[in-house]
Amino acid sequence: MRLYTVLFLVAVSLAESVSIKSLVFPSETSTSYVGMVPLKPLNLRAFTLCMRVATELTGRREIVLFAYRTQRADELNVWRELDGRLSFYLVDEPVFFRVPDIGALQTHLCVTWDSSSGAAALFMDGRKSLTKIFKKGHTVQPGGKVIIGQDLDSYVGSFDAKQSFVGEIGDINMWDSVLSDRMIQDMFSGKRVPRGNVFDWETTQLNINGEVVVVNTPQ
């Protein structure tokens, strides 16, 4: 009976173990990128966008972390700026946050925005920035493309290697609402939260291009 109990516990442990994939961009290129297929159109009056990211790129170098573009404009981009600030853009207009640098150690990053109030905030490793008022009344338009690793300078795809991402990025999830501070903190600490309804990293289709390597890490 004792042996059966041990075997049962081992089987349960194996069944509960999971791995999470991440995307490694090993070098600066204008050809490596990943397309993400959303679960629903990005017709957004609020959102929470989260990811885990690490990079050793330093100095005065822009890095694009998330790019969503329609034929009309860059609807939603997330950047590390030349001076190290983090930002996100809605229709080419930015809001900036002066926060600690992203480095080789993995950072859990979330940005939140609500159109009704204009409230925009950034979370790093569960810690929330100040709130800024940005693009009140705006709506993110659907019908575009989401790219990881490059900035879409045009809808058909025109990339600048000097803006490309080099490093590791993953656990990219997006909701069409603003998550509570507690849920974002739980996500950072590894607790299960409701899956993203715009992008769910566990199920979202990824289209890999170039030298990107998909790595699965046991959790």
Side-chain angles (χ1 to χ4, degrees), residues 17 72 79 98 115 178 184 187 209:
S17 65
R72 184 173 69 98
W79 287 87
R98 190 169 297 281
S115 176
V178 174
I184 292 174
M187 200 185 326
N209 298 270

Side-chain angles (χ1 to χ4, degrees), residues 4 10 21 38 54 59 66 79 85 87 98 100 103 107 109 135 162 166 195 202 204:
Y4 290 144
V10 169
K21 62 182 176 290
F66 181 93
W79 287 87
R85 290 180 298 173
S87 64
R98 190 169 297 281
T107 296
L109 175 67
K135 298 288 283 184
K162 293 299 182 183
V166 181
R195 292 180 175 180
E202 294 182 15
T204 291

Side-chain angles (χ1 to χ4, degrees), residues 155-189:
Y155 186 72
V156 296
S158 176
F159 303 137
D160 179 353
K162 293 299 182 183
Q163 296 178 327
S164 65
F165 177 76
V166 181
E168 184 173 1
I169 190 167
D171 204 14
I172 302 169
N173 294 280
M174 189 176 196
W175 297 258
D176 62 359
S177 61
V178 174
L179 299 187
S180 69
D181 294 5
R182 172 64 67 179
M183 288 181 68
I184 292 174
Q185 291 160 1
D186 285 347
M187 200 185 326
F188 159 65
S189 63

Side-chain angles (χ1 to χ4, degrees), residues 32-113:
S32 296
Y33 65 95
V34 177
M36 296 183 67
V37 180
L39 301 174
K40 60 191 299 186
L42 276 73
N43 184 16
L44 305 172
R45 289 188 56 80
F47 65 79
T48 301
L49 172 64
C50 296
M51 64 191 74
R52 297 183 190 271
V53 59
T55 181
E56 290 186 326
L57 289 175
T58 58
R60 296 186 62 80
R61 165 75 151 77
E62 294 175 313
I63 308 172
V64 64
L65 302 176
F66 181 93
Y68 171 56
R69 183 180 177 88
T70 63
Q71 291 185 351
R72 184 173 69 98
D74 288 325
E75 286 288 333
L76 170 57
N77 283 8
V78 181
W79 287 87
R80 191 197 73 179
E81 300 287 343
L82 288 172
D83 59 5
R85 290 180 298 173
L86 294 181
S87 64
F88 70 89
Y89 288 67
L90 297 177
V91 194
D92 299 324
E93 293 185 30
V95 59
F96 300 102
F97 298 90
R98 190 169 297 281
V99 292
D101 288 342
I102 294 174
L105 298 179
Q106 189 181 83
T107 296
H108 185 252
L109 175 67
C110 294
V111 292
T112 65
W113 172 76

Side-chain angles (χ1 to χ4, degrees), residues 5-52:
T5 302
V6 170
L7 291 174
F8 174 76
L9 291 174
V10 169
V12 170
S13 176
L14 290 173
E16 291 180 346
S17 65
V18 296
S19 62
I20 187 167
K21 62 182 176 290
S22 61
L23 307 172
V24 177
F25 294 77
S27 60
E28 181 181 283
T29 76
S30 62
T31 56
S32 296
Y33 65 95
V34 177
M36 296 183 67
V37 180
L39 301 174
K40 60 191 299 186
L42 276 73
N43 184 16
L44 305 172
R45 289 188 56 80
F47 65 79
T48 301
L49 172 64
C50 296
M51 64 191 74
R52 297 183 190 271

